[in-house]
Amino acid sequence: MEQRFVMKCGGSTLAALPDGFFHELRDLQQSGVKPVIVHGGGPAISETLTKLGIETEFVNGLRKTNDDVLDVVEMVLAGRINKEIVRKIGVNGAQALGLSGVDGGLIEAKPVANADEIGFVGDVTDVNASIIEGVMGMGYIPVIAPIGIDASGQRYNINADTAAGAVASHLGVERMIVVTDVPGILKTVDGEKRVLPSVTVAEIDEMIASGEIYGGMIPKVRAAVQCIQGRVQEVVIVSGQEPGVLTRAVREGGVGTRIVQSNEGRV
């Protein structure tokens, strides 16, 4: 079985990644590993909406999305950020092809349960994995912007973590990599912060409740947990700034924090 992995990365995190990270991606691709990237871009969307004078609000962490906001979401995610990543991968010697969930009906979506208060935000109903397989088969790294579409042609803004988990699940990938700007989930042991090698979803909830995971770390961890769905059994949170981090995460493990569904997933 060929080795493949799905990597989720925020748009602002990706923009800050060192060239070494992209060199690693190239080396992995050249050694026969097949990466798939799903990216977000929340801060860039907010920045563009502000420039255009379009107001937007968040409901439980998801952006309220009307037609005007949706146009900007698509423009920023599928346009600017998607192509920036493709360009950066290309400049560093690998080959990438940018897609959004609209292309070929790649990500099929339906409105989320509270669509009446949040607008065109979608849940993934299906992923056309054969498109991703085809792109990988041609020797390109698929770079996917998380916009979904339904049979009537309505577009949906999809949370990047949810989209990444769905893409991985439909590709049959059991372990996902979430690239962020922290080395993993930190726990204070004997007065110093250490990266937890492995943690279950239930333990994360406890750590949030006890205040051990706090502030800006909460959304990052919750985001990683959202990737665990379908066939995805575990997610590894790593820092993209660490040299060699991708190769270690894909080939060896022992880097970042493994988040597993339950204790049975631990080895």
Side-chain angles (χ1 to χ4, degrees):
M1 175 69 182
E2 62 181 20
Q3 198 177 7
R4 42 170 70 170
F5 71 93
V6 175
M7 172 185 126
K8 146 71 184 35
C9 196
S12 50
T13 304
L14 262 165
L17 288 176
D19 284 346
F21 183 87
F22 292 96
H23 292 156
E24 247 191 291
L25 209 49
R26 174 200 65 203
D27 294 346
L28 281 167
Q29 186 188 32
Q30 286 175 352
S31 71
V33 174
K34 297 195 165 158
V36 178
I37 296 173
V38 181
H39 65 85
I45 293 168
S46 297
E47 183 194 321
T48 308
L49 286 166
T50 304
K51 277 184 188 163
L52 296 172
I54 299 169
E55 280 188 35
T56 176
E57 55 183 298
F58 285 86
V59 180
N60 297 329
L62 292 173
R63 187 187 301 279
K64 205 167 176 177
T65 307
N66 60 18
D67 270 325
D68 287 346
V69 173
L70 199 50
D71 281 344
V72 175
V73 166
E74 186 167 49
M75 179 175 88
V76 174
L77 285 182
R80 184 182 132 197
I81 290 182
N82 189 275
K83 300 312 162 209
E84 189 183 355
I85 297 166
V86 167
R87 212 165 53 231
K88 230 170 168 177
I89 291 172
V91 165
N92 285 290
Q95 287 190 301
L97 198 125
L99 299 159
S100 88
V102 172
D103 294 303
L106 175 61
I107 298 175
E108 290 174 27
K110 63 172 187 190
V112 290
N114 62 334
D116 52 339
E117 63 170 331
I118 200 168
F120 299 116
V121 175
D123 277 329
V124 179
T125 54
D126 199 11
V127 174
N128 188 343
S130 62
I131 296 176
I132 301 174
E133 304 273 2
V135 170
M136 290 195 292
M138 284 160 58
Y140 292 92
I141 297 173
V143 178
I144 302 168
I147 293 160
I149 194 160
D150 67 14
S152 75
Q154 174 61 51
R155 297 164 299 169
Y156 295 91
N157 181 6
I158 295 177
N159 176 295
D161 311 292
T162 313
V167 163
S169 181
H170 282 85
L171 280 173
V173 171
E174 292 185 353
R175 188 185 66 196
M176 261 191 66
I177 297 168
V178 173
V179 178
T180 177
D181 53 2
V182 290
I185 297 175
L186 302 170
K187 189 178 171 87
T188 305
V189 184
D190 301 331
E192 62 174 299
K193 289 191 169 180
R194 295 193 190 156
V195 175
L196 276 176
S198 144
V199 64
T200 65
V201 173
E203 284 167 346
I204 284 173
D205 289 338
E206 284 167 25
M207 286 172 76
I208 290 173
S210 73
E212 203 158 2
I213 293 176
Y214 61 90
M217 198 59 211
I218 295 176
K220 286 175 191 168
V221 174
R222 285 210 195 284
V225 169
Q226 275 191 307
C227 295
I228 302 178
Q229 52 179 288
R231 294 188 189 169
V232 180
Q233 296 298 312
E234 63 175 80
V235 172
V236 187
I237 295 190
V238 298
S239 163
Q241 301 289 339
E242 260 178 74
V245 70
L246 213 47
T247 310
R248 283 171 65 197
V250 173
R251 295 199 186 282
E252 304 148 27
V255 63
T257 300
R258 278 175 67 217
I259 301 177
V260 292
Q261 183 74 56
S262 63
N263 275 315
E264 287 103 71
R266 288 194 179 180
V267 195

